[in-house]
Amino acid sequence: MSDAPAVAPLSSQQDKPEEKLSYRLITGPDDRSFCERISAALSEGYVLHGSPAATFNGTSVIVAQAVILPAAIATADAAVATAVDRLDSDEDLSEEAYEGHA
């Protein structure tokens, strides 16, 4: 038996709620439980992303649905807008910037 003292998590780690992922792919058998998991994600602020997918594994239908947080959409949209603005700007686009690209 070890005489080492038990290490307690730092209080900042205990108080900090787990950060939500921007993207989740929820999978499982096509049943009520799967629908409840999707409903729970929607109630947590996620939105559906794309169409659901379904496959048959030889025994049952397995489904998948991607969900994302709206903030992830806004962040991606802002990144695309910034990239487009940079391409549209009058910045000096030398050949060196594209070196290695066909």
Side-chain angles (χ1 to χ4, degrees):
M1 189 167 196
S2 174
D3 291 335
V7 178
L10 298 175
S11 62
S12 63
Q13 290 175 338
Q14 286 178 325
D15 299 337
K16 184 178 178 183
E18 188 172 326
E19 185 177 334
K20 288 183 183 180
L21 297 172
S22 296
Y23 170 89
R24 292 173 53 196
L25 180 64
I26 301 173
T27 62
D30 187 14
D31 59 12
R32 181 178 179 89
S33 173
F34 177 80
C35 294
E36 289 171 347
R37 291 170 56 210
I38 295 297
S39 295
L42 295 174
S43 70
E44 292 172 7
Y46 286 90
V47 295
L48 300 177
H49 182 68
S51 299
T55 190
F56 185 70
N57 69 359
T59 306
S60 59
V61 175
I62 304 298
V63 289
Q65 175 64 60
V67 294
I68 59 175
L69 290 173
I73 296 169
T75 301
D77 287 350
V80 169
T82 300
V84 169
D85 287 346
R86 289 181 65 193
L87 288 173
D88 289 342
S89 73
D90 291 330
E91 291 180 21
D92 179 24
L93 299 176
S94 66
E95 288 186 26
E96 292 175 14
Y98 295 101
E99 188 174 314
H101 294 276

